[in-house]
Amino acid sequence: MLLTTMELPDVVLMAASIVGFIALYKPLVGLVKWVWAMFLRPPKNLKEYGSWALVTGSTDGIGKAMAFELASKGLSLVLVGRNPSKLKAVSNEIRERHGEQVEVKSIVIDFAKFSGEEIAAFIKEGIEGTDVGVLINNVGLAYPYARFFHEVDLELMGSVMRVNIEGATWVTRSVLPGMLEKKKGAIINICSGSVLLPSYPLVTLYVAAKAYMAMLSKSINLEYQQYGIDVQCQRHSARQAYGGLDMSMYACPIGHIVCSGAFYVYYQMHYGIGVSCDTFLGDLRRSKERTQVPIEENIAEEEEKEEEEVKERESSDEILGAAITANGSSLSLV
């Protein structure tokens, strides 16, 4: 009896140790996988997917950097952009740097001005005879400045949707058959860390389009991974400044999806669970009261202000015109 009583603490300690090990096992395994993926695993040989890569939005920023990186791995390139002179400059720079070992083709198209079927036709014609194994959907279009949803003009609204949603969708649709035929390929969709935030007002349409890209990536990854096609959505790091506050996003890969968890936590710490419109107003919307006034009243107030400004300009023009006439000047006011 005494022996049993003395052994009881050991049994409790062992049971607690087992429970603790079970509780820690999953996060520890996750940590090991993350360290392996981030720092230890060897890079893939991208040429195993195919000898060509197609990059949209390849004349600036991330797309241009991707093009140069892929060329450094020995992949030939199909560059897609809307500016012929920029495409020519990037193509020449790649040829100068890598010589004859890398071929470069260009497709000039503005996704904002063509339908999905027309985009698909352009891409199919441009990649004919090439072994495209890697697709980088990078092209994107955002607002020139933050604005309320009802203030987005119809032309801009259509362009944002065609470039960010239809463009990537139809390009992917055009490239997939070739990847399915050889049962291998890689599709990388450039997304935005903003889709991880609880809300992102004043750029609503842009963020909604990026959320579409994130869901598209996850869904087609499940559809086509059995055919040897890898799909990745990259929510790239970004630096944004609102009201003088400089915020950085740090990307960390989790499986196929790259998320910006550090930025998400940082943002919630500073701005709470919901994101206030006033955070984004800056010079455009200085008054917090605006977000509390019905939209109809805001529109009426703006129209009244515009009418007053027009009347003031007309009045000043009349005074100036009268002064010029009195001085005998022949100057005409337009």
Side-chain angles (χ1 to χ4, degrees):
M1 183 69 180
L2 180 61
L3 182 60
T4 304
T5 304
M6 292 181 62
E7 291 177 347
L8 184 59
D10 296 333
V11 173
V12 172
L13 181 61
M14 182 177 294
S17 300
I18 294 172
V19 171
F21 175 77
I22 294 173
L24 291 174
Y25 175 76
K26 187 175 181 179
L28 283 174
V29 170
L31 178 62
V32 170
K33 288 182 177 180
W34 180 81
V35 171
W36 166 257
M38 284 292 291
F39 305 109
L40 302 177
R41 68 176 176 179
K44 284 187 175 182
N45 180 9
L46 298 180
K47 295 189 74 173
E48 292 179 356
Y49 290 114
S51 56
W52 286 76
L54 187 149
V55 185
T56 66
S58 56
T59 56
D60 292 294
I62 294 173
K64 183 177 179 180
M66 286 274 195
F68 277 89
E69 183 65 21
L70 292 168
S72 71
K73 304 300 182 184
L75 274 77
S76 296
L77 298 171
V78 179
L79 304 180
V80 182
R82 63 178 180 174
N83 189 316
S85 59
K86 284 188 175 182
L87 278 173
K88 184 177 180 180
V90 174
S91 299
N92 291 339
E93 191 174 349
I94 291 173
R95 291 191 184 100
E96 291 175 3
R97 185 174 300 186
H98 299 285
E100 297 181 356
Q101 65 177 355
V102 173
E103 296 182 59
V104 183
K105 296 179 64 175
S106 297
I107 301 176
V108 180
I109 181 173
D110 187 347
F111 288 172
K113 297 180 180 179
F114 292 90
S115 66
E117 291 84 354
E118 290 172 323
I119 292 172
F122 271 105
I123 298 301
K124 286 179 181 178
E125 182 181 352
I127 65 175
E128 188 176 357
T130 63
D131 177 24
V132 175
V134 179
L135 167 63
I136 311 291
N137 278 316
N138 170 71
V139 66
L141 177 66
Y143 302 177
Y145 55 86
R147 60 185 72 179
F148 284 88
F149 184 71
H150 76 280
E151 296 175 339
V152 181
D153 60 84
L154 296 180
E155 182 179 357
L156 177 59
M157 181 176 290
S159 296
V160 170
M161 294 175 68
R162 282 192 293 272
V163 173
N164 295 321
I165 297 178
E166 291 186 29
T169 302
W170 284 96
V171 171
T172 302
R173 178 66 178 80
S174 303
V175 172
L176 263 176
M179 294 181 175
L180 283 170
E181 186 177 344
K182 61 186 180 182
K183 295 190 181 300
K184 58 182 177 180
I187 300 172
I188 300 173
N189 295 323
I190 306 302
C191 195
S192 169
S194 59
V195 300
L196 292 168
L197 298 175
S199 63
Y200 208 108
L202 300 187
V203 284
T204 300
L205 194 60
Y206 172 78
V207 177
K210 291 303 181 181
Y212 166 85
M213 288 302 300
M215 181 56 71
L216 177 72
S217 303
K218 289 186 284 187
S219 298
I220 62 175
N221 178 59
L222 292 175
E223 289 181 21
Y224 293 104
Q225 61 184 357
Q226 59 183 320
Y227 301 108
I229 299 173
D230 297 321
V231 182
Q232 185 180 82
C233 177
Q234 293 191 359
R235 299 186 178 101
H236 273 268
S237 59
R239 299 185 69 85
Q240 298 176 321
Y242 292 110
L245 177 62
D246 193 9
M247 299 175 287
S248 300
M249 286 196 289
Y250 303 94
C252 50
I254 300 177
H256 279 288
I257 308 301
V258 179
C259 70
S260 304
F263 176 77
Y264 182 84
V265 174
Y266 177 89
Y267 204 92
Q268 283 197 332
M269 287 172 59
H270 282 263
Y271 297 112
I273 300 301
V275 182
S276 169
C277 291
D278 297 319
T279 307
F280 297 87
L281 298 184
D283 294 332
L284 299 173
R285 302 288 188 272
R286 293 186 179 278
S287 174
K288 294 185 178 181
E289 295 178 358
R290 179 183 174 92
T291 59
Q292 301 171 357
V293 178
I295 290 176
E296 293 79 5
E297 294 183 18
N298 286 331
I299 296 174
E301 289 177 4
E302 289 181 355
E303 291 177 349
E304 290 177 4
K305 289 180 181 178
E306 289 178 358
E307 290 176 1
E308 290 177 1
E309 290 176 357
V310 170
K311 289 179 180 178
E312 289 178 0
R313 286 197 297 269
E314 291 176 350
S315 176
S316 61
D317 289 345
E318 290 176 0
I319 295 172
L320 182 57
I324 292 174
T325 303
N327 291 332
S329 172
S330 61
L331 177 65
S332 61
L333 297 177
V334 180

